[in-house]
Amino acid sequence: MALVEQNIEDACRKAGRKRQEVSLIAVSKTMPVSLLKEAYDAGARDFGENKVQELLDKIPQLPKDIRWHLIGHLQRNKVKSIVGKTALIHSVDSLRLAEEISREAVKQQVDTDILIEVNVAEEESKFGVHLPDALALVQQIALLPGVHIQGLMTVAPYVENEEENSIIFRKLKELSVDIAKKNIDNVNMNILSMGMTGDYMTAIREGATCVRVGTGIFGRRDYTKRQSEQPQTAERHGI
Ligand SMILES: *Cc1c(COP(=O)(O)O)cnc(C)c1O
């Protein structure tokens, strides 16, 4: 985490931005609780998971002051179990999903902060509303009780050279500025969640307020082994 922190500081300085303008989400999906604890002890308070069940399993095993971020695709039938548990849901990309979150938020009497996921590059394999449809979706979701749009999120394409993604990040930033100008009730554009291990420095230059870094903090994910068999230590990954 020290290296990532240093890189974020460098990127902020080069962009003339304050370090406090960018929050780091430690993306801990597939990682065992012991590694999350080490990251917590090193200062991490924002953790990102992409699966509802894994997030629910980890919450009771870790300190209460952690802010949990759901960053992966959310199915409507899982909404009930996740509402009230997250600081932010990054992956809302349809009215039907937002309606489900709203219903559950009202029922539980909790306010739920969300981001709208935008598939800027229009990749077939990815979730997210397409850029031209994003404003209309925001306007519809803004009317729902119990859910509050706080900004936008994107997962940029995998590229060899992160500079290639600057155009993607710039487009998301432009969209957020355009939406902010419309002063829609119940809509904030304070958060721009963009940038992962391969491209967070570029994302910060282009205005990210929130970067989601997994591999850069915890090392590579091993999807072939069960978590308990992974011989990883935080030390090996430089936490
Ligand atoms: C896994 C994941 C990340 C982190 O990816 P790394 O390349 O390991 O940093 C960020 N955002 C989302 C939505 C993810 O699913």
Side-chain angles (χ1 to χ4, degrees):
M1 204 157 80
L3 179 62
V4 174
E5 181 52 44
Q6 189 58 56
N7 285 337
I8 291 174
E9 278 171 31
D10 288 349
C12 285
R13 188 168 17 78
K14 281 186 198 140
R17 304 181 60 194
K18 293 201 186 78
R19 171 65 188 87
Q20 308 93 271
E21 289 174 37
V22 180
S23 59
L24 169 62
I25 298 182
V27 176
S28 48
K29 61 191 187 196
T30 79
M31 294 298 160
V33 165
S34 58
L35 281 193
L36 277 71
K37 284 197 175 120
E38 291 185 43
Y40 179 91
D41 290 339
R45 291 297 178 271
D46 290 270
F47 288 84
E49 292 282 338
N50 68 337
K51 293 209 164 74
V52 169
Q53 193 53 53
E54 189 174 345
L55 199 157
L56 294 174
D57 289 344
K58 284 175 175 171
I59 287 176
Q61 302 184 61
L62 285 146
K64 294 283 168 277
D65 61 340
I66 286 177
R67 292 177 292 270
W68 293 97
H69 298 256
L70 184 71
I71 60 174
H73 180 61
L74 175 58
Q75 288 170 308
R76 278 181 297 138
N77 62 6
K78 303 268 174 68
V79 165
K80 197 184 297 195
S81 50
I82 198 73
V83 161
K85 305 284 196 330
T86 53
L88 192 60
I89 299 173
H90 291 230
S91 48
V92 177
D93 63 356
S94 75
L95 182 59
R96 289 176 78 199
L97 174 60
E99 283 171 340
E100 192 69 37
I101 296 171
S102 171
R103 247 191 308 276
E104 198 55 39
V106 169
K107 201 195 285 178
Q108 294 187 26
Q109 296 184 298
V110 292
D111 284 309
T112 302
D113 287 336
I114 64 166
L115 302 179
I116 302 301
E117 180 171 358
V118 185
N119 184 355
V120 180
E122 302 194 0
E123 289 179 284
E124 293 273 358
S125 60
K126 294 223 169 96
F127 292 101
V129 61
H130 288 184
L131 213 58
D133 305 322
L135 173 61
L137 181 63
V138 166
Q139 285 169 324
Q140 288 172 306
I141 294 177
L143 302 173
L144 302 175
V147 297
H148 308 294
I149 297 175
Q150 300 296 346
L152 305 175
M153 177 270 217
T154 197
V155 179
Y158 176 78
V159 287
E160 288 294 329
N161 172 6
E162 65 177 284
E163 273 303 314
E164 292 170 42
N165 276 338
S166 57
I167 179 76
I168 303 286
F169 298 141
R170 214 166 291 163
K171 282 182 177 168
L172 194 72
K173 170 75 185 184
E174 278 169 17
L175 176 65
S176 85
V177 170
D178 289 347
I179 294 175
K181 276 191 197 140
K182 302 209 182 288
N183 280 318
I184 304 165
D185 274 356
N186 191 28
V187 174
N188 280 310
M189 283 289 132
N190 299 330
I191 302 180
L192 215 46
S193 170
M194 57 189 196
M196 312 181 7
T197 296
D199 54 21
Y200 63 92
M201 312 252 295
T202 299
I204 289 170
R205 197 189 65 212
E206 300 298 341
T209 69
C210 175
V211 293
R212 310 178 306 266
V213 181
T215 312
I217 293 175
F218 296 104
R220 283 178 59 185
R221 289 177 289 276
D222 185 349
Y223 289 103
T224 64
K225 287 185 192 165
R226 309 252 354 130
Q227 283 179 19
S228 56
E229 293 165 6
Q230 287 178 9
Q232 288 156 327
T233 66
E235 206 176 349
R236 216 175 93 208
H237 303 308
I239 296 175

